[in-house]
Amino acid sequence: MKRTVLCLSLLVATTMLLAQEASKKYGIKSGTITTVSEVMGQKIESKGYFDDYGNLQSSKANTFGMEISTILRDGKTYVVNHSAQQVQQLPVQETINYLDLTDEIISKYKIQEVGKETVTGKECVKYTLEVSQMGQTAQLTVSVWQGFPMKTVTSANGMEVVATITEITECEVDPSLFEVPTF
């Protein structure tokens, strides 16, 4: 159970890292994203939606037998456990906008550009960085295309989570996908 909670925490921390404050985060206005994450030998596919260049984000996955959604809006992160009909608002975290890397952010997270990598047919810039959150430090390698983290490898406490965007579709999305449910 403790490993499951740690894995979920790593997934949420990675998701939160991708959620930036109100500015243009992605080079595409709206669309869908399919992501495959590998956690503890298990593959988890999630479907994500974004609008307003990434200022509104929503994703849903079946994780360890639970239907979980993450909604990012208004600078807040909401984790929705549909199975338990619970909503948890997480504290606002400082995040990384890969379209606007400032000297302060580069220094704070020890960001280094380490080359290029092609992920899902997209030519990406590859970075390494460190994130300290919830009392843990994780090492990340992130391959970025137009602000999208196409592949993220997160390592912490001997565990590794690999999240890869397998598809991005530019399209209009239903605004109701970004509404926080009330149970």
Side-chain angles (χ1 to χ4, degrees):
M1 180 66 169
K2 192 173 185 179
R3 273 181 87 82
T4 300
V5 170
L6 179 59
C7 285
L8 286 173
S9 296
L10 282 172
L11 280 174
V12 170
T14 299
T15 300
M16 289 171 57
L17 180 65
L18 309 178
Q20 297 91 24
E21 295 168 12
S23 64
K24 187 175 178 181
K25 298 162 190 48
Y26 300 150
I28 298 172
K29 182 186 179 305
S30 62
T32 63
I33 301 171
T34 302
T35 303
V36 174
S37 299
E38 296 179 40
V39 183
M40 293 174 38
Q42 185 174 18
K43 288 190 178 188
I44 302 166
E45 184 174 287
S46 64
K47 184 75 168 191
Y49 307 88
F50 64 95
D51 200 0
D52 190 24
Y53 296 95
N55 287 308
L56 294 171
Q57 298 181 42
S58 174
S59 66
K60 185 179 274 191
N62 287 314
T63 308
F64 302 104
M66 298 179 288
E67 186 179 338
I68 303 289
S69 292
T70 303
I71 299 169
L72 308 169
R73 62 171 302 128
D74 305 322
K76 297 180 178 95
T77 302
Y78 301 91
V79 178
V80 182
N81 182 332
H82 297 275
S83 304
Q85 295 191 329
Q86 295 175 332
V87 177
Q88 180 181 12
Q89 180 181 327
L90 300 176
V92 175
Q93 299 288 321
E94 180 179 48
T95 56
I96 298 172
N97 181 338
Y98 291 100
L99 292 180
D100 185 25
L101 288 174
T102 64
D103 290 339
E104 179 184 346
I105 293 295
I106 290 169
S107 175
K108 180 175 182 172
Y109 293 104
K110 303 176 186 168
I111 297 173
Q112 295 182 341
E113 185 176 326
V114 294
K116 300 210 182 293
E117 178 179 27
T118 300
V119 179
T120 315
K122 310 288 187 196
E123 180 73 21
C124 301
V125 177
K126 191 172 182 177
Y127 300 97
T128 59
L129 57 137
E130 288 185 11
V131 175
S132 294
Q133 197 168 355
M134 298 185 281
Q136 309 223 351
T137 298
Q139 282 69 44
L140 284 81
T141 302
V142 183
S143 297
V144 178
W145 172 79
Q146 289 198 31
F148 292 95
M150 296 298 294
K151 181 178 178 184
T152 303
V153 179
T154 305
S155 301
N157 293 332
M159 295 181 60
E160 186 174 271
V161 175
V162 179
T164 305
I165 294 176
T166 58
E167 183 179 4
I168 297 176
T169 304
E170 186 173 2
C171 61
E172 293 296 317
V173 293
D174 182 349
S176 69
L177 292 167
F178 310 107
E179 295 301 321
V180 180
T182 54
F183 295 108

